[in-house]
Amino acid sequence: MAVIAAKPFAFPFDKYKSALVIIDMQRDFLEHGGFGESLGNDVARLGTIVPAVGRLLQAWRALDLTIIHTMECHRPDLSDLPAAKRDRGQPKLRIGEPGPMGRILVAGEPGTEIIAALAPRMNEIVIEKPGKGAFYATNLGEILKSRGITQLILVGVTTEVCVQTTMREANDRGYECLLVEDGTESYFPEFKAATLEMVRAQGAIVGWTALSNDILQGLSDG
Ligand code: TIU
């Protein structure tokens, strides 16, 4: 056991019961021509977290600890895409339509892939999810239970959409959740800041936040 310097107070860390959960670091959100840009966003902001996420990924790999990658995507027949999701926003390209990186947010298309710098290895779990939360309509809960995982270290994009939704789902399911401050990013800096504040408010009502270096220290301490 180790203790990670975190907010609003120290996080008791058992790395053998932890999973690094890397949310939706996909070309569709981080690169030009994908879903994020089609919604009118400046995608460059999101790339700033890649080095910190990469350091955590390497550290988890070096210790052979559980790594989960998630991908937001839909079946090619779009049978898992509700109209309430398809019709939101004023995008130039809707989910399922062809763009420069293939069909937007459709499984198997080039734009849906995780960016090359963080590409999953064969032994790492990849969860394809049709929703914002990684527990909705996936077998993530069963996978974590079978491995005895009780603590989730969360990174990825975007902070207030898929990352926060997953963190809240996990909190309700009894996981201790730590959101990495320099490992998550939003198209809206004020939304990222608000999310960090709200999840750790009221005595860590949803969970903790910490810097990646403090998590790396926790990994080496215990
Ligand atoms: N639009 C936005 O901020 N996010 C998403 O649509 N998905 C994820 O956060 N992955």
Side-chain angles (χ1 to χ4, degrees):
M1 284 283 278
V3 174
I4 293 174
K7 293 179 179 171
F9 45 80
F11 181 80
F13 180 48
D14 183 347
K15 62 189 175 194
Y16 299 110
K17 293 188 174 176
S18 79
L20 178 66
V21 183
I22 306 177
I23 309 271
D24 300 357
M25 291 296 284
Q26 297 162 250
R27 300 181 67 201
D28 256 323
F29 296 109
L30 284 106
E31 294 186 9
H32 296 296
F35 184 57
E37 193 171 73
S38 86
L39 289 166
N41 296 307
D42 171 12
V43 295
R45 293 190 55 78
L46 272 49
T48 59
I49 63 170
V50 174
V53 175
R55 283 191 291 276
L56 290 171
L57 179 58
Q58 297 313 324
W60 251 257
R61 282 175 174 162
L63 294 169
D64 203 21
L65 302 173
T66 296
I67 297 165
I68 311 269
H69 303 260
T70 75
M71 299 169 69
E72 182 176 353
C73 59
H74 295 274
R75 294 182 197 141
D77 64 8
L78 303 183
S79 57
D80 58 356
L81 176 63
K85 181 174 182 181
R86 185 194 60 218
D87 296 342
R88 291 290 71 76
Q90 302 286 328
K92 289 195 222 78
L93 292 168
R94 292 205 181 274
I95 296 170
E97 291 180 350
M101 295 193 289
R103 294 177 70 200
I104 298 285
L105 282 195
V106 169
E109 300 287 332
T112 310
E113 286 172 8
I114 292 170
I115 60 168
L118 303 172
R121 290 189 178 159
M122 290 298 285
N123 63 330
E124 293 166 4
I125 296 156
V126 179
I127 302 282
E128 295 189 352
K129 63 182 184 63
K132 296 174 177 66
F135 289 85
Y136 168 69
T138 73
N139 61 349
L140 177 59
E142 287 81 358
I143 290 170
L144 296 175
K145 198 171 174 193
S146 72
R147 291 173 169 240
I149 302 294
T150 61
Q151 300 189 329
L152 304 185
I153 310 300
L154 295 144
V155 296
V157 298
T158 61
T159 315
E160 80 282 8
V161 182
C162 291
V163 177
Q164 183 174 197
T165 301
T166 299
M167 187 169 180
R168 289 178 181 277
E169 284 185 328
N171 175 244
D172 277 348
R173 286 165 173 77
Y175 295 94
E176 292 173 324
C177 297
L178 191 159
L179 175 57
V180 183
E181 295 172 31
D182 53 336
T184 186
E185 196 46 86
S186 168
Y187 300 120
F188 304 90
E190 66 277 23
F191 289 172
K192 171 179 173 176
T195 300
L196 295 176
E197 288 290 343
M198 74 175 76
V199 297
R200 67 190 176 211
Q202 305 181 70
I205 188 123
V206 182
W208 288 254
T209 74
L211 292 167
S212 57
N213 278 342
D214 290 323
I215 295 162
L216 293 170
Q217 185 65 48
L219 274 182
S220 57
D221 284 349

